[in-house]
Amino acid sequence: MEKLFKGIPASGRIAIGQAVVLLKSNLFIPKYQIKKNSVSIKSELEKLDNALMKTKDELLDLKNEIDQDQSALKKEYLDSALLMIEDPLVKKKVTEKVTESYINIEWVFNEVIQEMADQLLVSKDHYFRERAPDVISMGQNVLKNLLGSVELEFPDDIKDVIIVAHTLSPPEIVAFYKRKVKAFVTEIGGRTSHVAIMARDIRLPAVTGVKDITRFTTTGTRIIVVGNVGMVIVDPEKGTELLYTKKERGQINYEKNLKKNEKKACVLKGGEKILLQANMDLEEELLLVKECGCSGIGLFRTEYIFFNRTAVPDEKEQFNIYRKIVKEIAPYDVTIRVVDIGGDKKPEYLQENEEANPFLGLRGTRFVLVHTDILKAQIRAILRAAYFGKACIMFPMVNDVDELLQINNIVRQCKDELAQEKLPFDENIRLGIMVETPASVLLLDRISKFVNFISVGTNDLIQYTLAVDRGNEMVAADFDPGHPAILRLLKKIQEIASIRRIKLSICGEMAGDPLYSLLLIGLGYRRLSMSTMRIPIVKNIILNSSIDDAKKLAETALNFSLKQDVSRYIRDEMIGRFNFLEDYFRQNV
Ligand code: PEP
Ligand code: MG
């Protein structure tokens, strides 16, 4: 039966396909019939024995490490996990089920574990209820070993895969992108969580924050994702699917229409030039960047190079990637951002101690100043790549002048080493920072003495100014780019940059939001960097607006005290004034 779900519109467009549902741990468990004879049952049970043995060894190794650390709590958990692994009841139940049903061992084992956890959950005894998550967690350790490291196999009969998951990590998004999935739906995540941003950058429709969708969807069900309005339709009726197929076609035509502007100069009606640049996360997006009609890359998030691997990429590997991008984008600029590791972006091999508040922890420049070996390899790679075109280095999450002095020192050291090694590099490379914390705004007049440019990262600036988690779907409505405090802050940044004559750009998601880009121009921003999928529509707004329109929008918005008044005004003005924008919103409803 057709079911409608609402979530957060994370990434535009409509996608229609078949669901592949991932469990909470993102393990995909296949279900199939095995041959109905004793040999295949024996072979299934042997698979389970091997997985149990492997999990036991892993737990014992972990326990040995922890013994030295004296962590009583973890040790207690490991002891009970070991007892569960050896529990003959599990083995008995699994054997009975496989023999009765002839269904593959992974599926049956998962069922047995879920049943055990369910029984514990309804127990009267608090102690037993508390054990339910441990049983699930132990079961998943065994399942990982049962499934092996084989990549997630999509069933053969599933076409146009749409991933439905509790949550997805950036490396998982990368892996699915490479496997050409059509869209994502997650239960967790806000509009500017990194998963949502990545989906936009790689142009895949996505809806986040869809409560309980994994419980109500099964693999293979037809599903429609309406990215811009945050709607998901599971098991649509024929008529609904037909309607959305038409809408999807309409969207494609609309986008084709916007392509007519691609070659036009990006100027306001009065002739004032606006620079539109692209945000890029993956090397694979290079073609999209080259074809979107932008003038270079305003933000290359390099951290994704560090994912889906087992060790830090070395200087040579990074140099090859940066040089390729710099050469392809020349004569335009490539702004290469130093790895912003931390927060929700930490490769497993760099995970040290678990952080209670990773977004306030070892992240961005703070992280690389602790791991100077990683920083130096990257700076050397960028310096060398910049020799082949135009590139600059940008540091994320800089908070104070002290950090800048350390950064400048390290860049100097890298240049000296490269000169000694007689390797070609760009001696005059420009250095910049992202303005992403209130501290960096308050110190901007001083910070600006040490850098050649600044770029405003509104995703984090909003998060840290309003104290609202950018990835939390429960506070997504409070993550408001039009909040009066944010507008004031943006104005202040622009004023300082103008007084200090420092090059200013903006690369947070707000820059590419069709509702806000003109307002930013009105606030004095002339360089906007955004996801390639947003460039055509923002350019269309620019071509159809004057500087006076933009200023009036900004001045009026700045005068409101209530955030609802700002958002109502911006929405009414923008949708009311631009027919094509109205169409854009209608396309997706
Ligand atoms: C930002 O914070 O606005 C930004 C562009 O950086 P990221 O989204 O990678 O944190
Ligand atoms: Mg940021």
Side-chain angles (χ1 to χ4, degrees):
M1 202 180 65
E2 180 171 304
K3 290 183 270 317
L4 184 78
F5 293 85
K6 280 297 241 174
I8 295 164
S11 174
R13 290 203 189 140
I14 293 168
I16 303 174
Q18 279 180 285
V20 167
V21 184
L22 307 185
L23 291 185
K24 272 214 163 141
S25 60
N26 286 358
L27 289 175
F28 174 76
I29 305 178
K31 181 183 183 185
Y32 54 88
Q33 294 280 191
I34 56 166
K35 283 203 182 116
K36 293 191 175 176
N37 58 38
S38 57
V39 181
S40 44
I41 290 184
K42 191 167 166 252
S43 126
E44 292 297 292
L45 291 173
E46 267 171 20
K47 277 203 274 179
L48 179 61
D49 280 342
N50 291 339
L52 288 170
M53 219 131 70
K54 191 158 180 233
T55 315
K56 186 175 162 189
D57 289 346
E58 287 167 358
L59 290 171
L60 285 172
D61 284 351
L62 219 65
K63 198 173 151 218
N64 281 341
E65 281 170 31
I66 285 170
D67 270 346
Q68 290 149 19
D69 281 3
Q70 306 292 306
S71 168
L73 215 66
K74 274 196 178 169
K75 194 166 165 285
E76 191 191 318
Y77 163 73
L78 289 174
D79 281 338
S80 65
L82 279 164
L83 278 178
M84 282 187 270
I85 297 262
E86 285 162 350
D87 187 349
L89 194 66
V90 176
K91 193 73 193 295
K92 185 168 170 276
K93 282 188 172 173
V94 172
T95 311
E96 279 169 10
K97 272 194 177 238
V98 175
T99 318
E100 275 165 23
S101 65
Y102 295 103
I103 291 176
N104 59 306
I105 194 79
E106 297 86 352
W107 184 269
V108 168
F109 176 76
N110 185 47
E111 264 193 350
V112 169
I113 291 298
Q114 297 296 331
E115 282 166 14
M116 283 174 72
D118 286 347
Q119 276 166 13
L120 288 172
L121 273 177
V122 292
S123 160
K124 287 205 174 76
D125 189 323
H126 173 74
Y127 175 82
F128 286 118
R129 284 201 305 276
E130 294 267 291
R131 299 283 70 77
D134 293 349
V135 170
I136 298 275
S137 152
M138 180 280 293
Q140 295 197 334
N141 286 340
V142 177
L143 274 169
K144 273 184 199 153
N145 287 329
L146 246 183
L147 294 161
S149 58
V150 261
E151 270 195 58
L152 167 67
E153 279 300 329
F154 298 141
D156 283 346
D157 52 347
I158 292 201
K159 302 272 169 304
D160 298 329
V161 170
I162 292 181
I163 300 285
V164 178
H166 179 63
T167 181
L168 290 170
S169 65
E172 282 163 343
I173 297 270
V174 176
F176 287 135
Y177 169 68
K178 290 183 179 167
R179 300 184 62 195
K180 305 214 174 343
V181 306
K182 276 193 87 177
F184 301 109
V185 182
T186 61
E187 293 178 332
I188 294 283
R191 214 164 175 235
T192 47
S193 58
H194 283 106
V195 167
I197 292 175
M198 271 200 89
R200 276 197 286 279
D201 287 355
I202 59 182
R203 299 193 188 186
L204 284 183
V207 179
T208 56
V210 190
K211 210 163 169 255
D212 287 340
I213 189 154
T214 56
R215 282 213 293 134
F216 295 102
T217 315
T218 45
T219 294
T221 317
R222 292 209 61 76
I223 181 167
I224 301 174
V225 176
V226 192
N228 259 37
V229 288
M231 190 165 75
V232 182
I233 306 166
V234 174
D235 199 8
E237 282 168 13
K238 275 222 167 73
T240 313
E241 186 160 339
L242 218 65
L243 178 74
Y244 278 89
T245 310
K246 248 195 203 157
K247 280 176 185 273
E248 190 186 16
R249 236 177 278 133
Q251 250 180 15
I252 294 168
N253 287 340
Y254 174 68
E255 282 169 15
K256 263 196 202 141
N257 212 17
L258 286 183
K259 264 184 112 44
K260 284 191 305 215
N261 293 332
E262 208 175 272
K263 296 259 167 342
K264 287 186 188 160
C266 186
V267 288
L268 290 161
K269 271 196 216 150
E272 178 134 10
K273 203 166 176 280
I274 306 294
L275 191 83
L276 292 188
Q277 292 187 304
N279 288 354
M280 173 169 152
D281 300 339
L282 305 174
E283 192 188 338
E284 287 84 350
E285 288 169 55
L286 201 46
L287 196 64
L288 292 178
V289 172
K290 284 173 73 175
E291 286 178 349
C292 74
C294 68
S295 307
I297 296 173
L299 168 65
F300 176 30
R301 292 183 171 95
T302 57
E303 46 276 11
Y304 296 110
I305 300 172
F306 286 60
F307 282 119
N308 290 332
R309 49 188 303 132
T310 51
V312 172
D314 63 15
E315 175 186 327
K316 187 170 166 218
E317 191 178 341
Q318 290 190 62
F319 166 63
N320 285 333
I321 296 171
Y322 304 149
R323 181 179 55 180
K324 177 172 170 210
I325 296 170
V326 166
K327 275 179 153 180
E328 298 254 345
I329 297 298
Y332 295 118
D333 239 343
V334 182
T335 311
I336 304 179
R337 183 173 77 180
V338 165
V339 274
D340 183 10
I341 280 179
D344 60 350
K345 293 182 290 189
K346 206 164 204 173
E348 260 176 37
Y349 59 87
L350 287 173
Q351 239 132 50
E352 292 148 74
N353 299 323
E354 209 163 283
E355 294 179 287
N357 291 305
F359 274 98
L360 301 179
L362 210 51
R363 185 189 166 188
T365 295
R366 216 181 263 159
F367 175 89
V368 287
L369 285 178
V370 172
H371 295 274
T372 46
D373 47 339
I374 296 180
L375 178 59
K376 281 182 78 175
Q378 185 169 31
I379 299 280
R380 282 173 56 105
I382 303 174
L383 281 165
R384 291 174 57 197
Y387 178 81
F388 296 88
K390 275 175 83 183
C392 46
I393 309 179
M394 180 156 77
F395 283 84
M397 308 284 304
V398 171
N399 252 342
D400 45 56
V401 175
D402 312 52
E403 284 172 333
L404 269 175
L405 293 180
Q406 291 181 64
I407 289 168
N408 281 347
N409 230 335
I410 289 173
V411 174
R412 183 72 265 153
Q413 269 176 36
C414 291
K415 285 182 179 175
D416 290 347
E417 283 170 20
L418 290 172
Q420 261 177 16
E421 292 163 36
K422 299 203 172 9
L423 287 169
F425 66 97
D426 181 359
E427 168 62 45
N428 300 314
I429 199 156
R430 287 149 298 145
L431 292 186
I433 62 151
M434 305 246 338
V435 175
E436 303 186 276
T437 64
S440 61
V441 182
L442 293 167
L443 288 176
L444 200 53
D445 56 333
R446 299 191 181 152
I447 286 176
S448 59
K449 290 181 192 150
F450 298 89
V451 293
N452 305 103
F453 67 94
I454 57 172
S455 185
V456 184
T458 46
N459 309 335
D460 279 312
L461 190 61
I462 296 171
Q463 157 163 270
Y464 294 120
T465 304
L466 302 181
V468 55
D469 182 346
R470 61 190 274 185
N472 182 346
E473 69 286 353
M474 286 189 282
V475 289
D478 295 308
F479 189 93
D480 181 2
H483 191 291
I486 300 301
L487 298 187
R488 280 193 175 182
L489 214 53
L490 291 170
K491 182 74 197 139
K492 190 172 171 58
I493 296 168
Q494 187 277 331
E495 282 167 359
I496 301 172
S498 160
I499 293 167
R500 298 278 159 188
R501 290 172 188 280
I502 187 121
K503 218 163 98 178
L504 168 71
S505 66
I506 182 159
C507 63
E509 292 303 294
M510 188 179 178
D513 186 330
L515 287 180
Y516 288 103
S517 38
L518 190 59
L519 175 128
L520 291 172
I521 293 171
L523 287 173
Y525 289 77
R526 296 291 177 268
R527 293 159 199 270
L528 313 180
S529 189
M530 63 197 69
S531 157
T532 54
M533 102 191 267
R534 290 280 165 79
I535 284 186
I537 187 146
V538 171
K539 187 165 180 182
N540 211 353
I541 291 171
I542 291 169
L543 295 176
N544 288 288
S545 307
S546 69
I547 191 72
D548 288 343
D549 295 334
K551 281 186 178 160
K552 182 179 158 250
L553 204 63
E555 275 161 23
T556 315
L558 274 169
N559 274 330
F560 289 117
S561 299
L562 296 181
K563 57 184 186 178
Q564 297 100 297
D565 288 343
V566 178
S567 57
R568 197 175 312 117
Y569 168 69
I570 298 289
R571 231 187 144 80
D572 287 352
E573 276 293 306
M574 294 302 287
I575 298 180
R577 200 188 300 170
F578 302 108
N579 283 340
F580 56 83
L581 195 54
E582 195 176 352
D583 285 347
Y584 176 81
F585 280 102
R586 267 212 207 116
Q587 288 288 350
N588 300 290
V589 189

